[in-house]
Each structure stands twice: as structure tokens, then as C-alpha cells.
Amino acid sequence: MFQSAGISVPEEWQPEAPYSIAQAKQMTLDLLTLDQRPKAILCGNDVIAQGALFAAQRIGLQVPQDLSIMGIGDFKGSADTEPGLSTVRIPAGRIGQMAGSHFSSYVTSEDRGLFRFKCNLSLVQRGTTASVTR
């Protein structure tokens, strides 16, 4: 994603965190104590983003002034963090319905092909992201 936009992200800034606030917090603490730390973190989901937010707050960083954090999913509680978590809203209900429909077709017919569909995503900007300045 970033490479296609001509953005190079250092390997040490690309950790993978499991679906755990505590583990994401620890991984982010490790990331934020590097000699050179990022100014923004894009997390794979809102749970990991909450861990990143807690890590930043633990070491005294101001979010979003010192560090912007973005999640994905717009999970319950994301608007209630302090500051509110910026995120990408996905149509999870629609995705689930499509997957269920295609799975039942897969089980009951001979058609075993892959399927793809596009869905609309929404940016939900709250308090964890700063405006971009160049």
C-alpha cells in the first residue's frame, strides 16, 4: 500500500501485534522507544490501535500532537477513548451477509470459485489524528 504511493517505511516500524490490547501496547512501547520513532501509526484494527494509544500515553506523548494513531473497524468503544480513536469504518454486517451467502452456495453446489466484491469504507476522524502538514 505505501510502496505504491512511493512511501518507504523502515522494517523496524512494521511490527505485527496479535489481537490483544496488552500485547499491542507492549509492541508499541518497543516501537516508540527506538532512536527514531514514527509520527503516525496505522493499526490493523481498533483493538491494536487502543493498545498503541495507551502506550503513547504511558510514555507521555501527546496524541495527536506528538503521534497520530489510526485504527480500522470503528469498534464499540472507539469513540469513547480519550482522545476518540480515528478509524476506518467497514460495513462488517454486509461483509458477513455476503460471506454467509457465498459459503452456503459453496456447501450446497459444485461452484467452488472465489468471489470478490467492493464495499464502501468511511474515514471516521476523531481525536487521535492530526492534520497533515508538509
Side-chain angles (χ1 to χ4, degrees), residues 1-9:
M1 171 174 67
F2 291 110
Q3 289 175 340
S4 64
I7 299 170
S8 175
V9 179

Side-chain angles (χ1 to χ4, degrees), residues 32 37-41 56 61-69 128:
L32 295 177
R37 63 175 172 79
K39 295 188 183 292
I41 298 176
L61 294 178
Q62 297 293 310
V63 176
Q65 295 85 347
D66 300 325
L67 178 71
S68 288
I69 299 172
T128 59

Side-chain angles (χ1 to χ4, degrees), residues 66-81:
D66 300 325
L67 178 71
S68 288
I69 299 172
M70 174 69 73
I72 298 174
D74 197 22
F75 299 167
K76 287 185 180 180
S78 294
D80 301 321
T81 61

Side-chain angles (χ1 to χ4, degrees), residues 2-132:
F2 291 110
Q3 289 175 340
S4 64
I7 299 170
S8 175
V9 179
E11 189 71 31
E12 63 270 16
W13 288 5
Q14 300 179 47
E16 291 187 20
Y19 192 82
S20 159
I21 290 175
Q23 290 178 316
K25 179 180 175 182
Q26 184 57 56
M27 189 167 291
T28 305
L29 285 169
D30 295 343
L31 176 66
L32 295 177
T33 55
L34 293 172
D35 289 335
Q36 289 202 330
R37 63 175 172 79
K39 295 188 183 292
I41 298 176
L42 171 61
C43 300
N45 60 55
D46 286 2
V47 169
I48 295 170
Q50 287 176 12
L53 176 60
F54 297 151
Q57 291 171 334
R58 181 175 188 177
I59 62 172
L61 294 178
Q62 297 293 310
V63 176
Q65 295 85 347
D66 300 325
L67 178 71
S68 288
I69 299 172
M70 174 69 73
I72 298 174
D74 197 22
F75 299 167
K76 287 185 180 180
S78 294
D80 301 321
T81 61
E82 282 298 327
L85 183 63
S86 295
T87 187
V88 176
R89 182 178 295 146
I90 59 173
R94 182 163 185 265
I95 292 170
Q97 288 173 339
M98 295 286 291
S101 173
H102 284 279
F103 180 72
S104 44
S105 293
Y106 180 84
V107 171
T108 59
S109 74
E110 296 295 319
D111 182 15
R112 301 287 193 254
L114 296 176
F115 74 97
R116 295 177 191 193
F117 74 99
K118 291 183 179 184
C119 58
N120 293 323
L121 306 176
S122 304
L123 175 64
V124 181
Q125 189 166 0
R126 296 188 179 114
T128 59
T129 50
S131 296
V132 175

